[in-house]
Amino acid sequence: MIRRFTGIVLLTLAAGLAFAADRVAKPVIAIDKPGRCVEDTALMRRDHMKLLMHQRDRTMREGVRTKPHSLAGCVDCHASTKTGSVLGPQGFCQSCHDYASVRLDCFECHAAKRGMAAALGAKR
Ligand code: HEC
Ligand code: HEC
Ligand code: HEC
């Protein structure tokens, strides 16, 4: 029931974005994998960077690798089913960051594709 409802909301959102696209370039917030985010959507929209930074500090300093706010987890859910990636012009993370003029260095080390190792550095 909740899944179905989310699906309808997202379809509506997607249609709205597609409609607006010929006037202004809007971010593509397509979520291929239905379900729920690790936190409330409004909070994620506002504070996802803080969650990720905090998680990184904890992993690097204390060796904590918990699931909830892991970057690999974000990628697993948010990678496109077409490209398998969160990057690219239609990619979940990149499209919104392009729109907001935000630049990240995270994916120079971290895999942007679903199902890959968390960070390349860890495998070398
Ligand atoms: C220079 C390489 C490098 C860059 C750039 C980098 N990281 Fe990492 N990151 C690592 C390594 C190495 C680990 C530890 C590997 C592991 O835990 O699997 C790690 C671990 C993490 C973790 C915990 C493990 C996980 O998958 O959640 C998070 C979260 C994280 N980084 C977030 C970020 C974010 C956000 C950025 C960009 C702002 C970033 N990292 C940029 C190398 C990097
Ligand atoms: C279990 C799958 C899953 C995981 C893991 C996940 N998300 Fe999400 N995320 C979703 C879904 C589904 C939505 C939209 C549904 C909703 O309204 O809650 C969403 C929404 C979002 C949004 C808001 C998009 C908008 O509409 O403005 C952001 C930003 C976001 N996620 C970032 C992240 C980040 C960063 C991580 C990792 C720390 C992450 N997500 C982990 C499934 C996930
Ligand atoms: C709905 C739009 C949106 C989506 C989707 C989104 N972001 Fe962001 N992100 C932003 C905005 C806006 C900022 C800048 C916020 C600020 O500067 O206060 C940001 C900043 C960040 C930062 C901090 C960058 C820095 O160096 O300060 C990280 C890390 C980040 N996002 C990771 C992600 C990841 C990983 C994903 C995909 C899982 C993602 N974001 C998806 C809008 C988004």
Side-chain angles (χ1 to χ4, degrees), residues 77-123:
C77 276
H78 285 295
S80 143
T81 51
K82 277 195 208 116
T83 63
S85 176
V86 293
L87 297 183
Q90 309 275 95
F92 178 78
C93 306
Q94 190 183 320
S95 61
C96 195
H97 291 157
D98 282 354
Y99 182 71
S101 299
V102 179
R103 297 212 147 264
L104 301 184
D105 67 352
C106 317
F107 297 114
E108 280 166 28
C109 297
H110 289 271
K113 292 204 166 189
R114 182 179 285 132
M116 295 185 66
L120 297 174
K123 285 272 167 192

Side-chain angles (χ1 to χ4, degrees), residues 18-92:
F19 180 73
D22 45 282
R23 277 174 289 149
V24 193
K26 292 266 179 175
V28 182
I29 307 176
I31 294 162
D32 291 341
K33 208 170 157 181
R36 300 193 52 194
C37 201
V38 288
E39 302 287 346
D40 176 71
T41 307
L43 183 135
M44 287 311 283
R45 212 168 278 161
R46 201 174 58 237
D47 287 340
H48 63 275
M49 49 311 275
K50 293 182 200 157
L51 296 179
L52 280 170
M53 297 304 185
H54 177 69
Q55 180 82 14
R56 172 159 67 161
D57 286 353
R58 289 212 326 202
T59 305
M60 302 303 273
R61 297 207 195 110
E62 298 156 34
V64 177
R65 275 188 199 81
T66 42
K67 266 264 164 188
H69 300 154
S70 112
L71 183 56
C74 320
V75 171
D76 263 357
C77 276
H78 285 295
S80 143
T81 51
K82 277 195 208 116
T83 63
S85 176
V86 293
L87 297 183
Q90 309 275 95
F92 178 78

